[in-house]
Amino acid sequence: MSLPDTDYDLIRDELGRDPTPAEGELFENLWSEHCAYRSSRPLLSAFDSESDDVVIGPGDDAAVVAVPLYEGDDETYITFGIESHNHPSYVDPFDGAATGVGGIVRDTLSMGAYPIALADSLYFGDFDREHSRYLFEGVVEGISHYGNCIGVPTVAGSVDFHEGYVGNPLVNVACVGLTTPDRLVTAEAQAAGNKLVLVGNATGRDGLGGASFASEDLAEDAETEDRPAVQVGDPYTEKLLIEANEDLVDEGLVLSARDLGAAGLGGASSELVAKGGFGAEIDLDRVHQREPNMSALEILLAESQERMCYEVAPEDVERVADIAEKYDLGCSVIGDVADGNYVCTFDGDVVVDVPPEFLADGAPMNDLDAVASEPQERDLPEADLTEAFEAVVGSPTTASKRWVYRQYDHEVGIRTSVGPGDDAAIIALREAGAGLALSSGANPNWTSANPYEGARAVALENATNLAAKGATPLAAVDCLNGGNPEKPAVYGGFKGIVDGLADMCRTLSTPVVGGNVSLYNDSVSGPIPPTPTLAMVGSKAGYDAPPAAFSGEGTLLLVGEAGGALGGSEYLAKTGGTDRFPTLPANPAGLVAALAAVADDESTLATHDVSHGGLAVSLAEMVTETAGADVELADEIALFDETPGRVVVETTNPEAVREAFDGVAPVTEIGAATTDGTLSLSVSDEELVYDAASIAELRDVIERELE
């Protein structure tokens, strides 16, 4: 990738001369789609990002949100961020995914926070393809290796398989951190004369041009030709960096900070000083390096991992160096925050001398054509009920993900109250007497069928996941993934998911406090489906929640209103046919609030949301060896409809549930839990009966095929 002629002319006009080679490469990376959001920024104003709980919203390395206090008087903040590592994970699935984890963790460190939880949402091509399985196994191994080594639990997430990701998988990772008001740090330089200090791994040549690489379509030979653009991670150094950062923040030595991610040192240092309204004077010869004869351009743009850029008062530099030495980390005083331009010297020569705000924020925005997709009409197949049930419940997308999360240490840190495999994870924030619920995911079937309504459904599903565990939504971050935006149909789908997420989050009064955009997820196989991964957190008093498994002792209620259609469903993906997208609930905010209250009631024995695969999957997932259900439904649409905002509730007090939802959403009795470990379904005039072992055989397809 190289600078377009129009960009080059703009830069030359601003500088009054031709840019140097180092400046040209720096502009190419920082003005790339990956860094500058040239195609997406005009759309992102659709999001509401403010609430009484939001301390820092979009624009920093991570958002900061105040947690409601249920105990005590000391304010507790969480940090929340999300990023993608899509192209790197195609080229090298292990290192690509691992360094995605490392990057989002360092975003957390930049805010003065300690990372306490990860969530990953992963998207691959059809599971029956050998290459999709290779990518899947490599990505999961990379995430588990890095997360386990640094001691941060991976507690939530999602995995989807869809033909649209054959040539371009998606790896979206979110991180939650914990901090307090007195420890808060931002990425905004504070004063001229302060020192810029680089702490962490030595700089090598890995990850060169990673930002520009992530801003173009994947070529057919990407797995070999683009390998140098993929970073190589070292989780053991990251762990040392986490602990060193804690000491630095505890002692008040960090005035501002930015992790070295996209565009490396050049990106982190220029953005940090520009955000504060300053420039910088940097001597690239001072950067500690691990490879000989590195050029200025390589030092500036290498995306070597496990590095942080700190602004430090001159009198504190020696103490920072002592702490770095304590943790066996490299430390270089590379320059100063200064008034004026962003200036870098190398071997005695000035190689960069540009206005910092122009470098960081001067990229012109793209004005692109958008064409919306046409909604689908009903053309349902004539499918055998038994075959359809087994195909949907046994689909790799809806099947058990135990093979994935059993590789993650989700209990390290002793905060995980509800772990992966449930609707949402719950992390114990004992400092506030609060349980922090976390959900993450999207559904490419939904957003392929209808980008706008599908994205609204994604937001509602995540909120429903939290509410099913008794939590009220607090904030969300998004990772907006799309294909080549220069294609009008692709950009139209991308615009649809932006507007859909924004509208539903606004309806739910849930601010979208940060996010990431990943475009040009396009290959010889075509563009990916528009994929709006949403990670959402909610809070509740205490850390307990009803399970997502039958107890065998209560009445089964379905709360929420079905949308009466199968568009975007796993049923149609398996059987063929089309349909309109389901109509979403009229009062989603009221529904979520009522559900959270019901979930926390002592008469509630179990709760599980209805989404991927519809009631067929939800009911199957709730069956255990000792508890099952007898359920009666009207027809196949009722069994496979995936309308979110619905939950199966097992309760000993059905009337209390009806009262809670009176005037909010319908409540339908669908059967009773049993103690025989069998799911007995009556659908119209057909009967389906599956014991726990048979259901497990269907749902264990991933583990069975990969072991």
Side-chain angles (χ1 to χ4, degrees), residues 434-700:
L436 187 77
L438 172 62
S439 173
S440 175
N443 188 323
N445 285 338
W446 293 356
T447 46
S448 293
N450 189 318
Y452 175 79
E453 292 294 341
R456 290 182 69 230
V458 166
L460 178 56
E461 186 208 353
N462 278 281
T464 304
N465 286 337
L466 305 183
K469 302 297 109 176
T472 301
L474 185 62
V477 292
D478 57 35
C479 195
L480 303 169
N481 306 272
N484 186 331
E486 297 162 41
K487 301 176 181 178
V490 169
Y491 197 57
F494 183 79
K495 184 178 186 302
I497 63 172
V498 170
D499 291 342
L501 273 190
D503 287 353
M504 181 56 77
C505 287
R506 185 180 304 109
T507 299
L508 295 169
S509 298
T510 302
V512 179
V513 293
N516 172 263
V517 176
S518 176
L519 294 174
Y520 292 94
N521 292 290
D522 221 314
S523 68
V524 293
S525 300
I528 64 160
T531 308
T533 298
L534 192 71
M536 188 179 288
V537 289
S539 65
K540 63 176 295 180
Y543 330 121
D544 297 328
F550 294 128
S551 74
E553 301 174 359
T555 300
L556 298 183
L557 303 177
L558 177 62
V559 302
E561 187 170 1
L566 295 172
S569 67
E570 191 66 20
Y571 172 79
L572 291 185
K574 293 300 180 186
T575 63
T578 60
D579 200 2
R580 67 172 177 83
F581 197 77
T583 302
L584 300 184
N587 183 11
L591 187 152
V592 167
L595 177 58
V598 165
D600 280 335
D601 191 275
E602 62 181 11
S603 64
T604 298
L605 304 178
T607 54
H608 191 20
D609 91 303
V610 180
S611 54
H612 298 57
L615 272 171
V617 170
S618 297
L619 294 170
E621 289 176 334
M622 298 181 79
V623 173
T624 68
E625 292 183 355
T626 58
D630 287 334
V631 172
E632 184 174 348
L633 300 173
D635 53 30
E636 289 187 14
I637 293 179
L639 182 61
F640 296 113
D641 183 342
E642 297 186 7
T643 309
R646 296 182 299 152
V647 173
V648 175
V649 177
E650 182 186 1
T651 179
T652 58
N653 190 349
E655 192 54 39
V657 177
R658 292 189 179 92
E659 289 178 5
F661 283 90
D662 184 35
V664 176
V667 176
T668 306
E669 184 172 333
I670 58 173
T674 64
T675 56
D676 60 3
T678 298
L679 177 61
S680 299
L681 283 170
S682 175
V683 182
S684 186
D685 58 352
E686 296 188 62
E687 302 289 331
L688 298 177
V689 179
Y690 293 87
D691 60 20
S694 299
I695 291 173
E697 178 70 14
L698 290 171
R699 299 196 66 246
D700 288 346

Side-chain angles (χ1 to χ4, degrees), residues 94-407:
F94 179 88
D95 281 317
T99 51
V101 173
I104 195 63
V105 166
R106 290 192 303 279
D107 285 343
T108 302
L109 305 185
S110 297
M111 309 305 296
Y114 195 88
I116 60 170
L118 292 163
D120 54 71
S121 290
L122 314 175
Y123 308 85
F124 303 95
D126 298 322
F127 184 71
D128 58 4
R129 290 176 177 261
E130 183 178 353
H131 192 252
S132 295
R133 296 189 193 190
Y134 155 74
L135 294 173
F136 176 41
E137 290 183 278
V139 164
V140 171
E141 184 182 2
I143 291 171
S144 63
H145 174 70
Y146 207 101
N148 293 353
C149 288
I150 64 175
V152 181
T154 302
V155 298
S158 60
V159 180
D160 285 85
F161 298 94
H162 185 285
E163 64 181 0
Y165 304 110
V166 165
N168 198 132
L170 303 182
V171 176
N172 298 169
V173 184
C175 185
V176 176
L178 191 64
T179 191
T180 55
D182 60 304
R183 291 170 49 87
L184 190 59
V185 176
T186 70
E188 182 175 325
Q190 298 298 301
N194 287 331
K195 298 297 181 180
L196 293 174
V197 182
L198 186 63
V199 175
N201 252 339
T203 298
R205 291 186 169 92
D206 55 317
L208 277 169
S212 57
F213 160 62
S215 303
E216 56 190 3
D217 296 352
L218 279 171
E220 193 168 7
D221 59 358
E223 288 177 284
T224 54
E225 293 301 311
D226 290 322
R227 183 62 187 81
V230 179
Q231 310 92 331
V232 178
D234 176 2
Y236 301 105
T237 298
E238 180 98 346
K239 177 60 175 174
L240 295 173
L241 190 57
I242 291 171
E243 301 306 325
N245 192 78
E246 276 292 284
D247 285 4
L248 294 170
V249 172
D250 279 343
E251 295 189 26
L253 301 173
V254 178
L255 300 177
S256 67
R258 193 128 208 174
D259 91 292
L260 272 68
L265 173 62
S269 58
S270 64
E271 289 172 348
L272 185 144
V273 297
K275 194 172 175 66
F278 297 101
E281 295 175 355
I282 294 174
D283 184 350
L284 297 176
D285 294 294
R286 296 182 183 178
V287 173
H288 53 287
Q289 302 160 40
R290 67 168 183 262
E291 297 187 37
N293 303 317
M294 291 187 68
S295 67
L297 188 152
E298 290 170 332
I299 297 169
L300 266 176
L301 292 177
E303 295 181 9
S304 303
Q305 297 293 282
E306 295 86 37
R307 300 180 298 162
M308 297 286 292
C309 182
Y310 295 115
E311 179 189 8
V312 178
E315 62 270 21
D316 292 333
V317 167
E318 186 174 348
R319 179 57 185 151
V320 171
D322 289 342
I323 291 174
E325 184 178 7
K326 171 186 172 182
Y327 289 98
D328 198 24
L329 296 170
C331 180
S332 304
V333 182
I334 61 172
D336 302 271
V337 179
D339 294 316
N341 276 359
Y342 177 77
V343 179
C344 298
T345 59
F346 180 70
D347 199 21
D349 296 325
V350 174
V351 293
V352 175
D353 186 355
V354 298
E357 67 281 357
F358 181 65
L359 178 62
D361 296 312
M365 296 297 103
N366 295 331
D367 183 12
L368 302 174
D369 293 331
V371 176
S373 59
E374 293 294 326
Q376 297 179 344
E377 301 296 330
R378 173 163 289 186
D379 182 15
L380 298 181
E382 293 184 8
D384 178 83
L385 182 64
T386 299
E387 292 179 358
F389 179 87
E390 294 182 359
V392 170
V393 173
S395 166
T397 287
T398 62
S400 170
K401 303 305 185 300
R402 182 177 176 275
W403 180 88
V404 177
Y405 62 73
R406 74 174 186 180
Q407 299 183 52

Side-chain angles (χ1 to χ4, degrees), residues 37 44 47-50 54 56-65 80-83 475-480 501 511-517 533-535:
Y37 290 5
L44 300 182
F47 290 106
D48 287 347
S49 58
E50 297 180 354
V54 176
I56 296 176
D60 222 307
D61 276 359
V64 181
V65 181
F80 199 20
I82 192 169
E83 76 166 31
V477 292
D478 57 35
C479 195
L480 303 169
L501 273 190
V512 179
V513 293
N516 172 263
V517 176
T533 298
L534 192 71

